[in-house]
Amino acid sequence: MPVDLHVHTNASDGQYPPAEVVARAQREGLSAIAITDHDTTAGIAAAQHAAAVSFPPYEQPQIIPGIELSAEDTVFDPVKGRETSIDVHVLGYFIQIDAPGFQDALHRFRDDRLTRAQAILVKLAALGMPLVWERVLEIAQGGAVGRPHIARALLEAGFVESVPDAFDRYLRAGGSAYVARARLSPEGAVALIHQAGGAAVLAHPGYVPHYPRLIERLIPSQLDGVEIWHPGNNEHVRANLKALASRYNLVETGGSDYHGEAVKPDIRMGSVTAPQGAVAALKERAAQFR
Ligand code: AMP
Ligand code: ZN
Ligand code: FE
Ligand code: FE
């Protein structure tokens, strides 16, 4: 049965509330999804509740408690001739949401998100694109604020053609309204997930230019897996990842990184799925950290 291990709700920058996400997962015929919101576990209980009350037991998608943490790494860019910062996302699976210190850490990350989003709005205003802060918060629907919410506000105000256009023109790393969030290292993200009793997986390595080096660097931190199947990994990246996974005994995972059409117009839930056995392997890895 197909499993999508990378799904966002409106607890972070996904479009739909947890119950709606679960209904869609069931319609897509998925037997399990992992709720992997950015820096928050707020969507997990609602998703589990919705699955339990909406469907008979044999039709309930399993809801795996997950998280996606944003770390940053610095690498030397030979083209620019200087150090640049790279977003590194680390997924956590079977996390224990009440683990000591975990919610405090997530709370700090979400506070940083607010400060950073306000700094991005200052830059956008200076570029002649003033946005209303309260409107960004409304779009975020009380969830962890992220650049996709700002992108949607830019679209609404007519400053961009689409959400991806907002990223290309202003919000991408290095873009004119970009603000970095240098708080957590990739090692720190892996450690935090382990402290929460979860298995740590490098997300969408196709977006990380130095992923082979980074994966090797994270082996001593006991990185548990790599997200080989993701819309952002091309064939070449997937082949490299398979070799690395087998060399370092990493769990091979996969997911669509579903956010809803308003954020990622062409990504359907379940369009990318995990290999057989990934869920059991992640569960076993997570058990080592309890
Ligand atoms: P943030 O969490 O604020 O750093 O924003 C990063 C999030 O923006 C990612 O997790 C994606 O959900 C989304 N994102 C990044 N690039 C794009 C893009 N080109 N188009 C749409 N969404 C994007
Ligand atoms: Zn996202
Ligand atoms: Fe991500
Ligand atoms: Fe994601």
Side-chain angles (χ1 to χ4, degrees), residues 2-189:
V3 166
D4 188 334
L5 291 178
H6 195 154
V7 173
H8 294 272
T9 76
N10 71 352
S12 68
D13 57 10
Q15 181 179 357
Y16 297 110
E20 173 65 20
V21 165
V22 170
R24 282 164 184 255
Q26 198 268 349
R27 254 180 271 146
E28 296 289 355
L30 296 166
S31 61
I33 56 171
I35 302 293
T36 54
D37 276 311
H38 303 280
D39 297 339
T40 180
T41 56
I44 293 168
Q48 289 174 331
H49 178 77
V53 300
S54 309
F55 309 107
Y58 54 91
E59 280 180 18
Q60 281 172 23
Q62 181 194 354
I63 308 299
I64 297 164
I67 191 86
E68 183 171 16
L69 298 179
S70 302
E72 288 214 350
D73 207 13
T74 6
V75 293
F76 185 76
D77 182 333
V79 178
K80 292 182 183 156
R82 58 177 162 80
E83 299 275 315
T84 54
S85 76
I86 304 287
D87 274 324
V88 173
H89 291 179
V90 183
L91 294 157
Y93 293 104
F94 294 104
I95 45 161
Q96 297 180 308
I97 64 181
D98 295 328
F102 187 49
Q103 292 300 329
D104 291 339
L106 297 183
H107 208 268
R108 284 197 302 278
F109 300 154
R110 293 197 299 272
D111 279 349
D112 281 356
R113 286 181 167 276
L114 287 172
T115 315
R116 180 212 200 191
Q118 285 170 325
I120 291 174
L121 259 60
V122 169
K123 283 198 170 185
L124 287 170
L127 291 165
M129 293 170 286
L131 294 178
V132 179
W133 174 243
E134 284 69 28
R135 182 60 195 142
V136 174
L137 293 181
E138 265 170 38
I139 293 171
Q141 300 172 74
V145 175
R147 282 177 288 165
H149 301 124
I150 299 173
R152 288 165 71 184
L154 281 168
L155 177 61
E156 209 177 68
F159 293 127
V160 296
E161 304 286 319
S162 67
V163 166
D165 183 43
F167 274 88
D168 287 350
R169 285 165 69 179
Y170 308 114
L171 301 175
R172 69 184 158 77
S176 53
Y178 181 69
V179 177
R181 241 178 111 223
R183 175 147 211 137
L184 191 62
S185 66
E187 284 83 354

